[in-house]
Amino acid sequence: MSLGFSERKALINNLAVNISISRQCELLGVSRSTYYYESVKDYEEDNSLKRKIDEIYLKHPFYGSRRISDNLKTHGSNTGRYKVRRLMREMGIEAIYPQKRVNCKTEGHKVYPYLLNNLDIYRSDLVWCSDISYIPLKNGTAYLTVVMDWYSRYIVSWELSMSQDSSFCSTALKTALSKGKPVIFNTDQGSQYTSKDFTGILKDNAIWISMSGKGRAFDNIMIERLWRTVKYEEVYLTEYKNYFAAYDALDKYFEYYNNERRHSSLSKRTPREVYFSNRNKKIDVA
């Protein structure tokens, strides 16, 4: 039985690791230019879909792949659930909903309890928090992490990475700790934050570790609000050509966010004003 073009194209890169793309195209009767053109086209389509998925997820973080797929169809995109699920996995996002709590099985990773229930967060440097968010690029994907003071919304540090490994989160944490130190540090249960490298830095600095419950959207609510602000005021208004363009734009935005953007929840003050005017209050954590 002869294979169609799409079936032959799908075999490329799945034949053998020691055969070049050029040779695979030759063996399968697929033009190299056509293969690369179709690959770039698919890549661009995936990036466009990721952007739409990100916007839907930002509004409805409890939507899973099925509901996001249905939502895409109302906007003219007939994308199946399984493709949406794959793209969400690449973006590092998943639906927020209550799940059965299980122990983190990754070697060297430990999940810590949530410490912020009923805690009066009344001053700067009492609680810091961190999270990761997907940033679309014209020809790729980047990941943004921030370390934020919960009380003032002040961005203490941030990092942009082309991968989701834990190193850029640890770098952001180290940078933040060169400027100050919280009593409690809150994150989700992602592998970047449960890694020995990340939690080890917190332990070495005698910082209490707090982790949001699995599927609990409001446990790290300040970061969720920040992502909406960053996306609607900066990311969705710009098409970043590459990593460096995104980095420069985000650097300018966070300067504006910290020093000029006034928040109604902060009595019309900027995060910087609130952060530095409340660092010397006496800390009382029971």
Side-chain angles (χ1 to χ4, degrees), residues 130-132 143-147 157-159 168-169 172 193 227:
S130 184
D131 195 13
I132 301 170
Y143 301 92
L144 171 66
T145 187
V146 301
V147 174
S157 70
W158 64 277
E159 288 288 334
F168 80 116
C169 295
Y193 298 117
W227 291 147

Side-chain angles (χ1 to χ4, degrees), residues 51 54-55 58 133-137 144 158 160 225-257 261:
R51 169 81 174 249
D54 191 44
E55 292 186 38
L58 198 64
S133 187
Y134 156 84
I135 301 296
L137 307 179
L144 171 66
W158 64 277
L160 189 68
R225 290 174 180 173
L226 172 69
W227 291 147
R228 282 194 286 271
T229 300
V230 174
K231 294 291 178 75
Y232 284 115
E233 293 186 357
E234 167 55 34
V235 177
Y236 291 159
L237 302 180
T238 312
E239 182 180 54
Y240 304 125
K241 293 181 180 180
N242 51 41
Y243 168 90
F244 301 103
Y247 188 97
D248 289 344
L250 289 167
D251 187 43
K252 292 175 182 177
Y253 179 78
F254 285 128
E255 280 292 316
Y256 157 76
Y257 177 91
R261 192 184 188 281

Side-chain angles (χ1 to χ4, degrees), residues 24-52:
Q24 290 183 55
C25 288
E26 182 182 345
L27 290 171
L28 290 166
V30 176
S31 144
R32 279 184 298 165
S33 60
T34 301
Y35 169 73
Y36 285 116
Y37 172 78
E38 292 294 333
S39 296
V40 169
K41 183 179 178 182
D42 291 344
Y43 191 75
E44 290 175 347
E45 288 177 354
D46 281 359
N47 274 346
S48 178
L49 278 171
K50 285 180 179 179
R51 169 81 174 249
K52 293 176 183 176

